[in-house]
Amino acid sequence: MKITGRIVSKTDCAEEIAEALSPDNAGFMKCSGASGVLTAEFSGESPKTVLATADDYLMNLSVAWQISESAKEHTKNSKVK
C-alpha cells in the first residue's frame, strides 16, 4: 500500500525555507517553495513511516521558521538605526 500526504504553509519566505530543508528531499519527502507557498509531500509504504517523516519535517520547519522570523526582525531593526 502506498500512503501519501501533503502539508501546505503560507509564508513570505517559502523559497528560503524550502532551500534550508532541501537536504531532507530524499526518499520519503519533497519540499518546495514558490510564490509564498511552502509545500511538503510525503510518501511511504506504512502509516508509521509517513507519520515519522511528517513529524521530522514539522520539527525542521519550526526551526527554519523561527530562524527566518529572527532574521527578518534583525534586518528590520538594522534598518531603523
Side-chain angles (χ1 to χ4, degrees):
M1 171 171 52
K2 180 90 167 188
I3 300 169
T4 61
R6 178 181 304 159
I7 297 174
V8 179
S9 307
K10 293 182 181 181
T11 175
D12 58 350
C13 52
E15 293 85 359
E16 292 83 359
I17 291 176
E19 179 67 27
L21 300 179
S22 68
D24 290 335
N25 285 347
F28 303 115
M29 188 191 96
K30 181 171 184 341
C31 181
S32 60
S35 302
V37 178
L38 182 65
T39 304
E41 297 177 338
F42 311 94
S43 64
E45 299 297 322
S46 75
K48 187 175 181 178
T49 299
V50 175
L51 181 58
T53 302
D55 185 51
D56 288 347
Y57 166 76
L58 290 171
M59 181 59 71
N60 293 340
L61 174 61
S62 175
V63 171
W65 205 309
Q66 289 173 359
I67 290 170
S68 174
E69 291 297 314
S70 179
K72 284 193 294 188
E73 187 64 29
H74 177 73
T75 302
K76 179 182 167 184
N77 290 338
S78 294
K79 289 179 182 179
V80 172
K81 294 178 181 179

